[in-house]
Amino acid sequence: MSMKKSSFHYFKLLKWVASSKKDLVCMPEDVQDVFGYALHLAQAGKKHPQAKPLKGFHGSGVLEVVEDNRGDTYRVVYTVKFQDAVYVLHCFKKKSTQGIATPKSDIDLINIRLRVVEAQWTGGKS
């Protein structure tokens, strides 16, 4: 009797925080495709080649994928920190015309949304 290796793969849930899903569907289709694939890989425990740790979030499992499209730059930020799901924290079009850094207002929003997810995940315990 031969034993077959299971082809079942565990996928984490994908959870959207605040307006992140609405923001993603407003982006160009090519950008949606790249970000959708990156999130799919994250759900499977893998990492998209363009996924990089977001600066300032060391050790928190917060990743960013950047995609350029027709002269604009788009970003999706998500966390793989929690074992139950991949949480999409923010999707946005970079508005700044100078530098590659993520604008402070977006970093602040990502921080707030990450804290909300952490609080929900821990049951509100600090």
Side-chain angles (χ1 to χ4, degrees):
M1 182 163 139
S2 66
M3 299 289 269
K4 281 188 166 183
K5 190 173 182 178
S6 173
S7 62
F8 175 77
H9 296 284
Y10 173 75
F11 278 81
K12 289 183 174 186
L13 296 173
L14 186 63
K15 295 190 177 182
W16 302 91
V17 180
S19 66
S20 58
K21 185 173 186 178
K22 179 182 71 107
D23 297 335
L24 177 66
V25 299
C26 291
M27 294 179 177
E29 284 187 32
D30 291 345
V31 174
Q32 289 182 48
D33 289 347
V34 171
F35 290 171
Y37 183 58
L39 294 170
H40 173 78
L41 288 175
Q43 286 180 274
K46 298 177 183 175
K47 188 174 154 192
H48 190 277
Q50 291 172 237
K52 306 273 188 267
L54 184 61
K55 290 180 182 171
F57 290 83
H58 302 290
S60 63
V62 176
L63 301 171
E64 167 184 60
V65 177
V66 178
E67 180 68 11
D68 293 321
N69 183 278
R70 298 181 184 223
D72 292 319
T73 301
Y74 299 87
R75 298 177 183 210
V76 63
V77 178
Y78 58 95
T79 184
V80 295
K81 175 180 181 175
F82 306 99
Q83 64 186 96
D84 71 322
V86 172
Y87 290 85
V88 184
L89 301 171
H90 192 28
C91 297
F92 62 103
K93 177 179 167 182
K94 187 172 179 284
K95 294 177 181 79
S96 172
T97 57
Q98 294 182 333
I100 61 170
T102 304
K104 184 181 180 327
S105 60
D106 289 302
I107 292 292
D108 291 345
L109 183 60
I110 292 162
N111 262 314
I112 290 167
R113 290 179 177 180
L114 180 60
R115 284 196 304 264
V116 166
V117 172
E118 288 171 337
Q120 289 173 349
W121 210 82
T122 60
K125 299 173 195 166
S126 299

